Amino acid sequence: MIYDDQLYKKINYNKIYPIANEYLATSSVINTFPFMTKEFIYEQSDIKLFSYKRAKEKFGIQMHLFGSESAILQEMNGLYIIFYNHSEPDTRVRFSILHEYAHYILN
């Protein structure tokens, strides 16, 4: 994968680091690594989590058609949902869920 140097110049680490440190200091879920990602999301927000498989069963939606094979954050009627690909390795699922949560937190 080729990374765009301009993208990294736009990342505001002065904004991100204090937020991440606050989560590390206050979360009751983050007490070991790897921590329980889904429990962390539920502890910190009202965001719901649905696997792509569950989204297909419940909503009849093929989530990968929304542009990501790994995970997406969607707002539906004021409720935020992270849809994720449960068939990927656990490490990738955790990363993808937390990546989408970061989009939510950082706007």
Side-chain angles (χ1 to χ4, degrees):
M1 175 178 246
I2 298 173
Y3 294 100
D4 183 353
D5 288 338
Q6 295 300 315
L7 172 67
Y8 288 105
K9 290 178 183 176
K10 294 178 184 179
I11 296 173
N12 184 347
Y13 291 103
N14 290 329
K15 178 181 178 182
I16 296 169
Y17 286 149
I19 294 170
N21 285 330
E22 182 70 21
Y23 283 121
L24 287 170
T26 61
S27 175
S28 65
V29 175
I30 303 175
N31 52 24
T32 185
F33 287 94
F35 59 90
M36 305 298 286
T37 305
K38 294 175 186 178
E39 286 78 359
F40 172 76
I41 298 296
Y42 293 139
E43 174 191 61
Q44 298 295 324
S45 70
D46 292 331
I47 293 175
K48 303 298 180 202
L49 298 169
F50 281 87
S51 69
Y52 283 2
K53 180 180 176 182
R54 186 168 169 218
K56 183 178 179 185
E57 291 168 356
K58 185 168 177 99
F59 303 114
I61 301 172
Q62 295 279 350
M63 295 310 301
H64 69 278
L65 298 177
F66 282 75
S68 175
E69 292 293 325
S70 297
I72 58 170
L73 172 68
Q74 291 288 311
E75 186 268 331
M76 299 172 72
N77 300 322
L79 175 69
Y80 285 89
I81 304 171
I82 295 173
F83 295 98
Y84 63 93
N85 187 346
H86 69 285
S87 64
E88 292 186 335
D90 289 343
T91 52
R92 179 65 186 181
V93 170
R94 284 194 300 269
F95 171 84
S96 297
I97 290 171
L98 291 170
H99 177 91
E100 295 305 319
Y101 183 64
H103 283 298
Y104 173 80
I105 294 300
L106 300 172
N107 297 316

